[in-house]
């Protein structure tokens, strides 16, 4: 098989800015990123694409709230599945068209992906990730009766809080591997995957949680023993002392340096932090792999060694 790359595309591959949140704009933005992924396929990479879904989940939650008097609400795991279907379709169609225009006959398939978490993960005792819009106390108490944790945010109102447990296993990972081996380009673990737990009988159940997409992408890259784990985001390179006068862009880090810089606080929690943690976990599981962080439009130049931040195992 060709060399395998897991390409995790960030929020900026779907929503360019606040003026471009509508679906036609999302499609145009996805098409732009797929041009760059097309370069990778043309270069001989077998590609698995993963993606985020934070804003899209927020839109569906809001739509649910506004329409609750008329149509049934959708549970959060099913919302995750909805976004995997919709975004998976956008990517599959855009990349299919991109490859066709280049005369490449490769098919793209999106896999609805469940990701197993531990039902005793401590994250469930203390949900920390805000989700959906701010609301009143009365509405919040209603959500609480449905099983949600709710919290008051000084001044801004009440908000549902959701757990972000550690992903343990990608349920469809063998299916994804077989599809890759058969020559398909795969879209998977969208939004970090649909969170599921095993009950006492060992059966899968959807759960109220969200999974960090960088963590889940790392797990997939490790499980597939991918040669490359590429995180495409809104910055061309990773910096030390980010946004400070003494900021320094990095071309290259070893695994050891990545751990040290992370411990020193160079990578913000909730943005670059989870990406570096994801790369550390991937390189520890797969020391021969290589990891890269860059923007969609610099992917080709980064793969040619001209930009981006590369991370490799020590020695
Ligand atoms: P994504 O949607 O791709 O996950 P995030 O916003 O979560 O994007 O993370 C990428 C962002 O991380 C960058 O746009 C940048 O603002 C921020 N960031 C935080 N720390 C750093 C750093 N040390 N170097 C570069 N970018 C950083
Ligand atoms: Mg992010």
């Amino acid at each position: 098989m060709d060399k395998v790359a897991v390409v995790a595309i960030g929020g900026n591959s779907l929503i360019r800015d606040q003026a471009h949140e509508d679906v036609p704009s999302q499609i145009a933005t996805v098409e732009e990123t797929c041009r760059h992924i097309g370069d990778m396929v043309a270069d001989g990479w077998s590609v698995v694409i993963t993606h985020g879904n934070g804003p899209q989940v927020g839109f569906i939650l809001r739509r649910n709230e506004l329409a609750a008097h008329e149509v049934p609400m959708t549970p959060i795991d099913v919302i995750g599945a909805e976004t995997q279907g919709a975004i998976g379709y956008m990517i599959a169609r855009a990349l299919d068209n991109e490859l066709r225009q280049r005369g490449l006959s490769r098919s793209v398939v999106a896999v609805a992906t469940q990701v197993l978490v531990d039902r005793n993960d401590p994250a469930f005792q203390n949900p920390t990730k805000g989700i959906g819009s701010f609301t009143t106390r009365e509405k919040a108490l209603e959500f609480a009766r449905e099983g949600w944790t709710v919290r008051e945010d000084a001044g801004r109102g009440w908000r549902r809080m959701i757990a972000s447990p550690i992903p343990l296993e990608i349920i469809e990972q063998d299916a994804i591997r077989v599809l890759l081996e058969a020559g398909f380009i795969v879209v998977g673990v969208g939004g970090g995957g649909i969170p599921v737990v095993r009950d006492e009988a060992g059966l899968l159940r959807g759960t109220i949680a969200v999974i960090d997409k960088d963590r889940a992408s790392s797990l997939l890259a490790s499980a597939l023993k991918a040669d490359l784990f590429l995180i495409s985001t809104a910055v061309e390179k990773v910096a030390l002392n980010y946004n400070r006068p003494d900021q320094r862009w990095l071309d290259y880090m070893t695994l050891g340096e990545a751990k040290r810089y992370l411990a020193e606080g160079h990578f913000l929690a909730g943005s670059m932090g989870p990406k570096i943690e994801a790369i550390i976990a991937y390189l520890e599981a797969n020391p021969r792999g290589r990891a890269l962080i860059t923007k969609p439009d610099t992917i080709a130049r980064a793969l040619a060694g001209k930009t981006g931040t590369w991370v490799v195992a020590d020695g």
Side-chain angles (χ1 to χ4, degrees), residues 10-11 52 129 212-214 233 270-272 274-275:
K129 215 174 138 55
D212 178 74
K213 77 121 184 354
D214 296 313
T233 185
S271 60
M272 190 53 70
K275 297 185 199 312

Side-chain angles (χ1 to χ4, degrees), residues 161-182:
M161 303 301 291
I162 194 160
S164 185
I166 304 283
L168 299 177
E169 184 192 329
I170 293 156
I171 302 295
E172 288 79 8
Q173 74 182 40
D174 292 339
I176 292 173
R177 181 182 294 112
V178 168
L179 286 166
L180 270 183
E181 284 166 359

Side-chain angles (χ1 to χ4, degrees), residues 43-293:
D43 259 4
W45 286 98
S46 273
V47 177
V48 186
I49 301 165
T50 70
H51 59 83
N53 70 350
Q56 290 77 11
V57 167
F59 299 155
I60 296 175
L61 280 169
R62 182 74 186 130
R63 216 175 283 142
N64 270 343
E65 281 168 36
L66 293 172
H69 60 287
E70 221 174 288
V71 283
M73 300 267 263
T74 327
I76 191 75
D77 55 324
V78 176
I79 292 178
E82 286 181 25
T83 66
Q84 286 188 348
I87 298 171
Y89 156 62
M90 292 185 210
I91 297 170
R93 194 183 73 181
L95 191 54
D96 214 291
N97 287 338
E98 178 64 32
L99 299 178
R100 175 178 295 261
Q101 283 165 338
R102 292 167 180 253
L104 295 168
S105 57
R106 299 284 293 274
S107 296
V108 190
V109 60
V111 176
T113 315
Q114 305 170 79
V115 174
L116 186 71
V117 301
D118 182 349
R119 63 196 160 100
N120 297 316
D121 189 304
F124 285 111
Q125 258 56 66
N126 180 30
T128 49
K129 215 174 138 55
I131 191 167
S133 34
F134 286 93
T135 186
T136 59
R137 183 171 179 276
E138 292 65 45
K139 186 69 208 163
L141 292 177
E142 235 174 80
F143 283 132
R145 279 193 291 275
E146 289 165 20
W148 287 93
T149 299
V150 293
R151 189 171 296 168
E152 191 182 13
D153 183 325
R156 288 197 293 177
W158 290 74
R159 199 169 190 209
R160 282 171 278 179
M161 303 301 291
I162 194 160
S164 185
I166 304 283
L168 299 177
E169 184 192 329
I170 293 156
I171 302 295
E172 288 79 8
Q173 74 182 40
D174 292 339
I176 292 173
R177 181 182 294 112
V178 168
L179 286 166
L180 270 183
E181 284 166 359
F184 288 92
I185 300 198
V186 183
V187 184
V189 293
I194 304 160
V196 294
V197 293
R198 286 209 188 274
D199 66 13
E200 292 83 350
L203 304 178
L204 294 174
R205 306 269 177 230
T207 186
I208 301 185
V210 292
I211 300 173
D212 178 74
K213 77 121 184 354
D214 296 313
R215 274 185 188 156
S217 303
S218 167
L219 183 62
L220 181 63
S222 303
L224 294 174
K225 297 191 171 54
D227 302 280
L228 172 69
F229 179 26
L230 196 173
I231 300 185
S232 168
T233 185
V235 283
E236 184 168 334
K237 294 184 186 187
V238 176
L240 297 182
N241 305 317
Y242 182 64
N243 267 345
R244 297 223 311 252
D246 54 348
Q247 167 174 290
R248 184 157 72 81
W249 297 108
L250 295 169
D251 299 322
Y252 171 90
M253 287 186 267
T254 64
L255 176 58
E257 286 167 338
K259 288 184 189 170
R260 180 157 58 83
Y261 299 147
L262 180 71
E264 288 170 359
H266 288 284
F267 313 124
L268 302 186
S271 60
M272 190 53 70
K275 297 185 199 312
I276 302 297
E277 285 168 4
I279 285 175
I280 290 170
Y282 159 74
L283 289 175
E284 284 185 332
N286 202 27
R288 289 148 63 118
R290 296 187 304 154
L292 171 64
I293 296 182

